[in-house]
């Protein structure tokens, strides 16, 4: 997608969000971010400080290099409130041309695994909600030393109760290549065997500020 088209979409999306928030007498300010794994345990180079790409699906993840230049990073628009930004997380697609409705990043239960939710995005909110799609309770906290945001879902007591981010290894259904996707999981007896045939690695996930879009650059943005 050209820079001009992305700019038009961003303008329309932000205009839509402005109208949505106007009734609350709030002047909205939005900033764009990317998802990024921060670390893994044990360390995996493919996961450490790697931004999540689209992989030509609605499931953000990372794949080993080399990358297809048309495989863009998953770009997020976020209401930049004080003292902390807050969700929901809106999709800002750089490729292909976006549909005329807002898209949301959220957690999907389509896999049917107890206590395990996969990070996806959707433009079909009502359809995904029939599967328990969760997208309104993102929690974000600014980093004190870098332009990033710590991200988790639900109350903080959920984190204390064992919920955390994992990278789950699979195969991209569109490309057939190895793909690590982000899951919000509480390991339990109920899901003990669900990941037995694949690798699941504890990771950190954050939002890192995005620069200008350049659809001719690898990943849609200058590295």
């Amino acid at each position: 997608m050209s820079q001009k088209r992305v700019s038009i979409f961003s303008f329309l999306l932000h205009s839509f969000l402005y109208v949505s928030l106007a009734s609350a007498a709030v002047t909205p300010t939005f900033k764009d971010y990317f998802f990024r794994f921060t670390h893994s345990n044990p360390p995996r180079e493919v996961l450490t400080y790697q931004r999540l790409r689209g992989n030509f699906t609605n499931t953000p993840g990372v794949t080993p290099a080399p990358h297809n230049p048309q495989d863009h990073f998953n770009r997020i628009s976020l209401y930049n409130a004080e003292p902390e930004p807050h969700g929901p997380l809106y999709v800002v697609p750089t490729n292909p041309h976006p549909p005329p409705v807002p898209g949301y990043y959220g957690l999907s239960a389509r896999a049917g695994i107890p206590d395990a939710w996969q990070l996806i995005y959707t433009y079909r909110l009502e359809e995904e909600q029939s599967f328990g799609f969760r997208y309104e309770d993102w929690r974000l906290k600014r980093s004190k030393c870098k332009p990033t945001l710590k991200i988790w879902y639900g109350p903080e007591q959920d984190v204390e109760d064992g919920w955390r981010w994992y990278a789950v290894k699979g195969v991209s259904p569109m490309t057939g290549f190895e793909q690590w996707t982000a899951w919000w999981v509480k390991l339990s007896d109920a899901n003990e065997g669900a990941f037995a045939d694949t690798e699941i690695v504890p990771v950190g996930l954050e939002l890192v500020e995005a620069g200008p879009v350049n659809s001719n650059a690898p990943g849609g943005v200058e590295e």
Side-chain angles (χ1 to χ4, degrees), residues 64-137:
H67 300 290
N68 186 328
Q70 296 182 357
D71 183 9
H72 286 202
F73 296 112
N74 284 97
R75 198 177 188 93
I76 301 130
S77 183
L78 175 64
Y79 177 48
N80 197 41
E82 296 293 345
E84 301 286 1
H86 60 77
L89 309 179
Y90 295 93
V91 181
V92 181
T94 57
N95 185 35
H97 187 68
V101 294
Y104 300 89
Y105 289 97
L107 299 177
S108 173
R110 276 182 180 261
I113 302 174
D115 298 330
W117 302 76
Q118 188 176 28
L119 177 66
I120 71 166
Y121 71 81
T122 185
Y123 294 102
R124 300 177 179 178
L125 187 57
E126 291 185 2
E127 178 182 322
E128 284 298 332
Q129 283 180 311
S130 68
F131 292 92
F133 187 65
R134 304 165 69 185
Y135 72 101
E136 295 183 297
D137 200 19

Side-chain angles (χ1 to χ4, degrees), residues 37 45-56 60-74 172 175 177-180 216-221 223:
F37 288 133
E45 184 177 354
V46 71
L47 300 175
T48 303
Y49 289 106
Q50 297 299 308
R51 286 182 280 190
L52 278 60
R53 298 172 185 262
N55 300 302
F56 306 100
V62 298
T63 56
H67 300 290
N68 186 328
Q70 296 182 357
D71 183 9
H72 286 202
F73 296 112
N74 284 97
S172 169
T175 65
F177 293 119
E178 173 187 311
Q179 178 185 12
W180 293 83
N216 294 319
V221 65
E223 295 282 6

Side-chain angles (χ1 to χ4, degrees), residues 5-223:
R5 285 188 176 182
V6 172
S7 297
I8 291 172
F9 174 78
S10 295
F11 172 78
L12 292 174
L13 174 62
H14 293 172
S15 296
F16 166 80
L17 298 176
Y18 180 88
V19 172
S20 299
L21 290 167
S23 60
V26 175
T27 301
T29 302
F30 293 90
K31 187 173 288 186
D32 286 0
Y33 295 85
F34 295 122
F35 290 110
R36 182 172 73 176
F37 288 133
T38 60
H39 65 278
S40 61
N41 186 17
R44 299 289 183 90
E45 184 177 354
V46 71
L47 300 175
T48 303
Y49 289 106
Q50 297 299 308
R51 286 182 280 190
L52 278 60
R53 298 172 185 262
N55 300 302
F56 306 100
T57 72
N58 70 333
T59 308
V62 298
T63 56
H67 300 290
N68 186 328
Q70 296 182 357
D71 183 9
H72 286 202
F73 296 112
N74 284 97
R75 198 177 188 93
I76 301 130
S77 183
L78 175 64
Y79 177 48
N80 197 41
E82 296 293 345
E84 301 286 1
H86 60 77
L89 309 179
Y90 295 93
V91 181
V92 181
T94 57
N95 185 35
H97 187 68
V101 294
Y104 300 89
Y105 289 97
L107 299 177
S108 173
R110 276 182 180 261
I113 302 174
D115 298 330
W117 302 76
Q118 188 176 28
L119 177 66
I120 71 166
Y121 71 81
T122 185
Y123 294 102
R124 300 177 179 178
L125 187 57
E126 291 185 2
E127 178 182 322
E128 284 298 332
Q129 283 180 311
S130 68
F131 292 92
F133 187 65
R134 304 165 69 185
Y135 72 101
E136 295 183 297
D137 200 19
W138 289 108
R139 307 299 176 93
L140 301 126
K141 188 172 182 62
R142 297 184 193 276
S143 170
K144 294 182 179 179
C145 57
K146 54 186 179 178
T148 61
L149 300 172
K150 179 182 178 181
I151 181 171
W152 68 94
Y153 198 88
E156 290 205 49
Q157 56 261 36
D158 286 357
V159 179
E160 296 171 357
D161 196 32
W163 288 87
R164 65 164 302 157
W165 291 107
Y166 288 86
V168 177
K169 184 178 179 180
V171 175
S172 169
M174 297 298 292
T175 65
F177 293 119
E178 173 187 311
Q179 178 185 12
W180 293 83
T181 57
W183 290 67
W184 183 242
V185 179
K186 178 182 179 181
L187 294 180
S188 64
D189 292 341
N191 59 32
E192 182 178 11
F195 301 103
D197 295 328
T198 189
E199 293 184 67
I200 177 170
V201 180
V203 292
L205 184 71
E206 66 181 7
L207 298 184
V208 59
E209 289 185 14
V213 175
N214 179 354
S215 289
N216 294 319
V221 65
E222 297 292 346
E223 295 282 6

